[in-house]
Amino acid sequence: AAATAGLSQDELKKLVGYKAVDDHVRSGMVVGLGTGSTAAFAVDRVGQKLKSGELKNIICIPTSERTREQAEKLGIPLCTLNEKSRIDVSIDGADEVDPDWNLVKGGGGALLREKMVEIVSDKFICIVDESKLCKGLGPGFPLPVEITPFCHEHTMRVVANLPAIKPYLKEAVLRMGSSSTNKRDGDNIAVTDNGNYIVDLHFKDTLKDAPAAASQLKNTVGVVDHGLFIGMASEVIVAGKEGVYV
């Protein structure tokens, strides 16, 4: 049980990233490659196993330009959903995981492509370190919402007033600087890989009804998609102080 004691957060991320690939990726599969610091280890592992010949005849679909660049450097063959609309397995991280395996994703700004890939995956393996587990979605990590640049201030107001959002909301913040972090690291509005803006919803209380919030956000005109991934994860692999567990 002490196998993970004293490991850094990066070492924990590597453990779950490698385990997801070792357990779930086989030759001949179509594989969705997630985005972010944890998913990057899974991408590395796919590259290693292709290079060694342990995996053959795999094609992967990346969920961001960053992941695409990483995969290309590793010589991983890539395609898009245009070529393959069904995926055997996707592997990706999350910013928050509740007890029902509902997720908040999109701290790294790739939520739209991640959702497009993971929704058509037979299995979506979510990989996290223990710090991402929570009792309920909301206060622990801001919820990203991807919106069109056209009339973005109006859309932000509409989103902030949705009945499943408003009572729990502290503030709605337009993402500035780099789209891949929700810290303000520049003076220009952050633009996603898809040419859109992101609003980060900061909550003071736990969302009472995350599925309702998801549905209301998705039904808002001007919202492209949001970072609530409801009922999508088929397995969550967690690295904690006591070891790696599923």
Side-chain angles (χ1 to χ4, degrees):
T4 57
L7 290 186
S8 71
Q9 200 176 18
D10 260 2
E11 290 165 320
L12 293 174
K13 289 175 177 182
K14 182 174 175 177
L15 281 177
V16 288
Y18 279 30
K19 180 177 171 59
V21 174
D22 295 348
D23 288 359
H24 295 283
V25 178
R26 302 288 173 261
S27 293
M29 280 187 170
V30 181
V31 182
L33 300 177
T35 296
S37 53
T38 310
F41 287 112
V43 179
D44 282 342
R45 188 62 161 174
V46 171
Q48 286 173 20
K49 292 188 131 182
L50 274 170
K51 199 172 178 184
S52 73
E54 194 179 334
L55 286 176
K56 294 182 172 63
N57 188 27
I58 275 191
I59 192 147
C60 295
I61 300 182
T63 53
S64 64
E65 293 305 312
R66 276 180 296 153
T67 299
R68 183 181 59 76
E69 286 165 14
Q70 181 194 1
E72 281 175 349
K73 282 200 184 85
L74 295 168
I76 298 172
L78 300 178
C79 71
T80 70
L81 290 172
N82 290 338
E83 292 81 42
K84 303 275 183 190
S85 276
R86 216 202 94 249
I87 297 172
D88 294 296
V89 62
S90 287
I91 300 170
D92 203 358
D95 300 307
E96 266 194 319
V97 182
D98 80 3
D100 297 325
W101 298 5
N102 293 321
L103 318 173
V104 166
K105 292 175 50 48
L111 56 142
L112 174 61
R113 295 187 188 187
E114 287 170 347
K115 192 175 278 186
M116 288 177 74
V117 165
E118 286 146 20
I119 201 83
V120 294
S121 300
D122 290 349
K123 287 197 294 191
F124 165 31
I125 310 303
C126 179
I127 50 177
V128 292
D129 63 83
E130 229 165 23
S131 70
K132 306 295 196 299
L133 303 180
C134 64
K135 289 193 168 61
L137 304 179
F141 198 92
L143 169 64
V145 181
E146 187 158 341
I147 64 171
T148 57
F150 177 72
C151 299
H152 67 279
E153 290 174 7
H154 157 74
T155 305
M156 278 177 74
R157 283 195 295 272
V158 173
V159 162
N161 282 297
L162 291 171
I165 299 281
K166 188 179 181 179
Y168 318 104
L169 188 67
K170 186 166 69 181
E171 57 175 345
V173 181
L174 190 63
R175 194 174 290 193
M176 304 294 286
S178 159
S179 69
S180 62
T181 154
N182 59 11
K183 308 285 173 271
R184 190 190 171 108
D185 54 4
D187 297 325
N188 296 323
I189 300 174
V191 178
T192 68
D193 283 348
N194 319 299
N196 298 314
Y197 294 168
I198 292 181
V199 183
D200 287 303
L201 301 178
H202 295 254
F203 292 101
K204 55 187 183 218
D205 290 315
T206 302
L207 282 173
K208 285 284 177 291
D209 190 343
S215 151
Q216 289 171 22
L217 284 166
K218 186 72 183 185
N219 285 322
T220 300
V221 177
V223 169
V224 182
D225 221 315
H226 56 79
L228 287 169
F229 284 50
I230 306 290
M232 285 177 59
S234 33
E235 184 172 298
V236 180
I237 306 179
V238 183
K241 308 260 180 302
E242 302 299 309
V244 173
Y245 57 96
V246 174

